[in-house]
Amino acid sequence: MNLKIVTILVLNLGMSISHINAQTKNAISKVWVADLGNGKYKNPVIDADYSDPDACRVGSDFYMTASSFDAVPGLPILHSKDLVNWTIIGHALKRQPPYEHFSKTQHGNGVWAPAIRYRNGEFMIYYPDPDFGIYLTKSKNPTGPWSEPLLIEGGKGLIDPCPFWDDNGEAYLAHGWAGSRAGIKSILTIKKLSADGTKVLDEGVIVYDGHETDPTIEGPKMYKRNGFYYIFAPAGGVSTGWQLVLRSKNVYGPYERKVVMNQGSSPINGPHQGAWVNTPQGEDWFLHFQDKGVYGRVVHLQPMKWLNDWPVIGIDKDGDGTGEPVLTYQKPNVGKNYPISTPAESDEFDESTLGLQWQWQANPKGIWHTTSKQGFLRLYSYQAPSEAKNCWEIPNILLQKFPTEEFMVTTKLTFKPNPKIDSEKVALIILGKNYANLGLRSSKEGINLVLGECIKAIDKAPETEKVITRIDQNKAIYLRVKVSKGAICQFSYSLDGQIFINVGSEFKAEVGHWIGAKMGIYCTRNNQSNDAGYANFDWFRVSPIADTKY
């Protein structure tokens, strides 16, 4: 199915990227579609790592953002008309401040759980950086441009902010605390916010202490209904927790508590942290994540109803007011049926901008890549930082999320190393705390196909590399990795695009820092030179695991 996408070019200090993606001509995923085509959907609605999702509705349109940590561009903006079919339409964060700090990899740092709201004709995203404070970025258009992030409150350990405007115009900011920086966690604070939302006005009040019953409570989202102030908050830990709702007639409490969703008898572990939204037809729904380990925190959609002024999320099988997640359900009533759509995965590199699924490991430099609408992506070899012991610390790796549990990635490239430089490398990589890659390395003798692997990359362990065979520099090569259930990866290559030869043994992908494993490509070198070699990538395609036996 073809999607017509309008491309808006935005110049980004050395990085050009579209805010509405000129996606591949067939933008529908071949490996995961939540819309079952019969009026129902299956969870997860996005089987990819969009952690800590928050969403809002503007008219008949739904917009979602998510944590992005140190990946750039950050704060992805996704759009849907029915809460089931989502596309990436841009990013709110083109570069991450402080800019010099994030010019290096900062795994696990950066953008934690954000909140997106629409007020007075503007989209507003509040996001926390646990090391620097709470930022605000705004835009009249969800595709951008977004304003430069404004630090509305500096400090360490301030996380998961959510603004709230009361009926009288008074504004508040709820947030949690990161114990690793603040020295305390499991509490929620509400602070006074300036009416325009740009400045925190006081030190706040602790409105809930979860130490005894709700450890690691965080991620508060504030709402008001029928005279009650509500705080939706996850508790109990990322992979094992539950969705809590607090309510009070006073913004500062005291708050009553109720667990409104937990795993129950479902296979969905730790269902929590997300957003309450409603449809123009008056239905209530809840978007949240599930931690699937190496696959990241994937997005689920749950039906929601109100009972005695308490929300019930999911299906309440025993009638106790606590729901559990659904695996399949009737799609939301939004007044009509909309075409199937999914977040972008494959990229033909035919446009003048990268697909919006791509992110770097740090604030990018303009000398890392070019597309220039030439029908390919050119990655220039860029010198690895002197302190980098392996790929974990290399900023110019172009990555995207795993799209589901089983899939295959194939890319076609040609390598043109600088003959005056020894040991440039281009590769296809599966990256996490452990990683593996298959690529080409130049030497004075020619170009070798090499298989790299690093166990405990996060601990600065060195990468080991094995030479597979000599490769003709003048010919294209196809690199492939199959990812089977359990994130078991098998690399292979082909010289004709038809017959693929397995390389090495199977490799089990590993999580990143607060994120799932990622897949991507890079071109690098270990020494200084006055010019760079490069690799031309013709395309990067995500497909189902082939039945072909090698």
Side-chain angles (χ1 to χ4, degrees), residues 180-200:
S180 57
R181 276 78 164 181
I184 189 171
K185 63 177 184 176
S186 301
I187 57 173
L188 300 180
T189 294
I190 291 180
K191 295 175 176 175
K192 196 75 174 62
L193 191 63
S194 61
D196 63 0
T198 63
K199 187 177 181 180
V200 172

Side-chain angles (χ1 to χ4, degrees), residues 12-72:
N12 176 24
L13 294 178
M15 176 182 175
S16 182
I17 188 163
S18 64
H19 277 264
I20 297 182
N21 188 16
Q23 300 179 46
T24 54
K25 292 182 179 179
N26 182 9
I28 307 304
S29 174
K30 297 179 179 179
V31 295
W32 186 264
V33 175
D35 193 324
L36 297 176
N38 59 1
K40 296 184 177 182
Y41 72 93
K42 64 180 178 180
N43 271 319
V45 288
I46 304 177
D47 200 19
D49 190 10
Y50 288 91
S51 177
D52 309 316
D54 191 42
C56 66
R57 176 173 66 85
V58 181
S60 61
D61 296 275
F62 300 93
Y63 299 95
M64 183 196 304
T65 190
S67 302
S68 49
F69 299 98
D70 66 333
V72 180

Side-chain angles (χ1 to χ4, degrees), residues 14-16 349 351-354 360 365-380 398 534-537:
M15 176 182 175
S16 182
F349 303 127
E351 303 297 331
S352 53
T353 55
L354 287 169
W360 302 97
K365 297 181 183 293
I367 56 175
W368 288 356
H369 88 284
T370 185
T371 53
S372 302
K373 212 165 186 177
Q374 300 176 85
F376 57 82
L377 165 67
R378 177 169 292 177
L379 293 184
Y380 299 97
L398 190 60
Y534 55 85
N536 292 336
F537 289 83

Side-chain angles (χ1 to χ4, degrees), residues 323-520:
E324 64 181 56
V326 299
L327 293 178
T328 61
Y329 204 77
Q330 196 73 22
K331 289 171 57 178
N333 177 14
V334 291
K336 61 180 292 187
N337 291 322
Y338 288 94
I340 291 175
S341 60
T342 58
E345 297 163 357
S346 299
D347 201 333
E348 295 297 309
F349 303 127
D350 287 338
E351 303 297 331
S352 53
T353 55
L354 287 169
L356 294 177
Q357 67 269 37
W358 294 108
Q359 296 173 299
W360 302 97
Q361 285 212 112
N363 286 334
K365 297 181 183 293
I367 56 175
W368 288 356
H369 88 284
T370 185
T371 53
S372 302
K373 212 165 186 177
Q374 300 176 85
F376 57 82
L377 165 67
R378 177 169 292 177
L379 293 184
Y380 299 97
S381 77
Y382 182 76
Q383 185 178 1
S386 58
E387 65 272 17
K389 304 300 181 184
N390 53 57
C391 286
W392 185 255
E393 296 173 299
I394 292 178
N396 60 309
I397 301 182
L398 190 60
L399 296 164
Q400 62 171 285
K401 309 168 192 299
F402 276 21
T404 190
E405 293 186 20
E406 289 189 291
F407 61 95
M408 181 167 70
V409 171
T410 310
T411 188
K412 178 185 178 184
L413 68 97
T414 55
F415 188 30
K416 301 293 183 182
N418 183 340
K420 297 181 180 180
I421 302 176
D422 190 25
S423 203
E424 289 180 296
K425 183 177 180 179
V426 59
L428 172 67
I429 188 170
I430 298 292
L431 184 66
K433 293 180 180 179
N434 301 333
Y435 72 78
N437 59 65
L438 179 63
L440 304 177
R441 183 178 291 282
S442 66
S443 68
K444 295 178 181 179
E445 291 73 34
I447 296 177
N448 292 320
L449 179 72
V450 294
L451 180 67
E453 187 172 348
C454 186
I455 305 301
K456 296 187 178 180
I458 190 174
D459 296 326
K460 300 183 182 297
E463 177 182 322
T464 61
E465 193 173 88
K466 178 182 178 182
V467 175
I468 306 302
T469 188
R470 182 65 56 84
I471 297 293
D472 187 338
Q473 175 177 335
N474 298 314
K475 293 184 178 180
I477 187 170
Y478 301 77
L479 303 179
R480 171 177 286 178
V481 61
K482 286 184 177 181
V483 181
S484 304
K485 280 195 174 180
I488 304 301
C489 306
Q490 177 63 63
F491 284 93
S492 61
Y493 77 99
S494 174
L495 300 179
D496 61 6
Q498 301 297 319
I499 300 173
F500 281 79
I501 302 169
N502 283 348
V503 176
S505 57
E506 292 179 333
F507 166 80
K508 189 179 188 309
E510 183 59 79
V511 297
H513 194 22
W514 306 129
I515 63 173
K518 289 187 174 183
M519 57 186 181

Side-chain angles (χ1 to χ4, degrees), residues 199-239:
K199 187 177 181 180
V200 172
L201 301 179
D202 63 16
E203 73 279 7
V205 174
I206 296 173
V207 296
Y208 190 74
D209 186 327
H211 283 96
E212 293 183 7
T213 57
D214 299 295
T216 319
I217 189 169
E218 55 189 354
K221 297 293 186 293
M222 284 195 71
Y223 309 96
K224 192 175 186 181
R225 178 185 181 273
N226 286 354
F228 282 103
Y229 298 92
Y230 289 93
I231 301 176
F232 286 49
V238 170
S239 61

